[in-house]
Amino acid sequence: MPLLMLDLDNTLVDRDAAFRAAVQAFLAEHGLPDTDLTWVMTVDASGYTARHDVAAAMTDRYGTLVPTTAIRALLDNGAADRVVLASSSREALSKAQADGWTCVIVTNGRITQQEAKIRNAGLDRLVQGWVISEGVGHKKPEPEIFHAAEEAVGVSLSGAWVIGDSPHADIAGANALGLRSVWVSDGRPWTQDSYQPTHVADDVASAINYVVSAPR
């Protein structure tokens, strides 16, 4: 049973869209300018900015206008409460499993937040397992987190694929281990010179379907 390792945020689920909707609701609830949406999304940087840094920036900007508990709730639960799994992605995952693939989510982030996304999107019923950087003490692209994925499901990295949207975390991580990979571009151009993905796909469903149909 070959191993298929998939990124979570902005790969399996549109984390940015979910967080954007949460921020819009947050601004409306607290009577803040809707134009602040762009500022918050920029500070957040698709989740790559550390949570405590985003919280500090928002606290500094809004002062006494917003309770710190509301800011923490937005950052902890906003995206997780709103993530959805596209039907095309659900179908592609089901097809991969039916074809004998072992699917494992490999994601950076905090356990509570990432597991909430996985369960709320229904991914816990479509994959054989997941590893989260906080739980294993290593972040992508470090090889240890990919080895943790193979150990979690008892399937060797030999013949494994990696699918993700991050050139650095996902594709470079796969490349360092000699694994094949699909970069989910969402229309972006590939700009790295030192390494390349095996394939580029516009979305995760297309990426999964490519892997399933590729020679093993």
Side-chain angles (χ1 to χ4, degrees):
M1 295 178 66
L3 183 62
L4 176 55
M5 295 177 283
L6 303 113
D7 176 51
L8 178 63
D9 290 329
N10 295 322
T11 297
L12 282 169
V13 297
D14 192 340
R15 180 265 178 199
D16 284 354
F19 186 64
R20 185 179 298 107
V23 173
Q24 289 173 323
F26 169 88
L27 296 174
E29 179 182 354
H30 297 285
L32 301 169
D34 55 12
T35 51
D36 275 18
L37 173 63
T38 300
W39 177 81
V40 176
M41 296 300 293
T42 300
V43 170
D44 173 69
S46 294
Y48 284 104
T49 306
R51 174 192 176 279
H52 60 83
D53 289 334
V54 180
M58 293 183 68
T59 299
D60 182 63
R61 186 177 183 89
Y62 298 126
T64 58
L65 296 175
V66 181
T68 55
T69 53
I71 293 173
R72 287 198 298 267
L74 168 68
L75 300 180
D76 288 342
N77 308 316
D81 288 347
R82 290 169 172 80
V83 291
V84 296
L85 183 65
S87 58
S88 59
S89 302
R90 185 182 305 276
E91 292 166 4
L93 281 171
S94 298
K95 179 180 177 182
Q97 290 197 65
D99 201 46
W101 288 85
T102 298
C103 300
V104 182
I105 296 170
V106 183
T107 176
N108 291 343
R110 291 177 294 134
I111 293 173
T112 300
Q113 190 176 59
Q114 299 304 75
E115 286 196 342
K117 292 175 189 172
I118 289 168
R119 298 185 192 284
N120 289 345
L123 284 162
D124 56 322
R125 300 185 295 274
L126 293 166
V127 298
Q128 280 68 56
W130 54 81
V131 290
I132 301 169
S133 62
E134 184 183 63
V136 299
H138 294 279
K139 291 183 176 182
K140 295 184 294 182
E142 296 173 35
E144 289 86 354
I145 193 170
F146 297 102
H147 286 298
E150 70 173 336
E151 292 169 7
V153 292
V155 178
S156 170
L157 285 181
S158 177
W161 284 77
V162 175
I163 293 176
D165 73 300
S166 170
H168 173 68
D170 301 309
I171 308 307
N175 185 71
L177 288 167
L179 304 178
R180 290 177 290 180
S181 62
V182 182
W183 181 53
V184 178
S185 69
D186 192 28
R188 296 170 294 165
W190 181 264
T191 60
Q192 303 296 322
D193 294 327
S194 57
Y195 57 90
Q196 298 281 335
T198 307
H199 182 69
V200 175
D202 286 336
D203 55 66
V204 70
S206 300
I208 295 170
N209 289 332
Y210 177 85
V211 170
V212 170
S213 63
R216 294 188 185 176

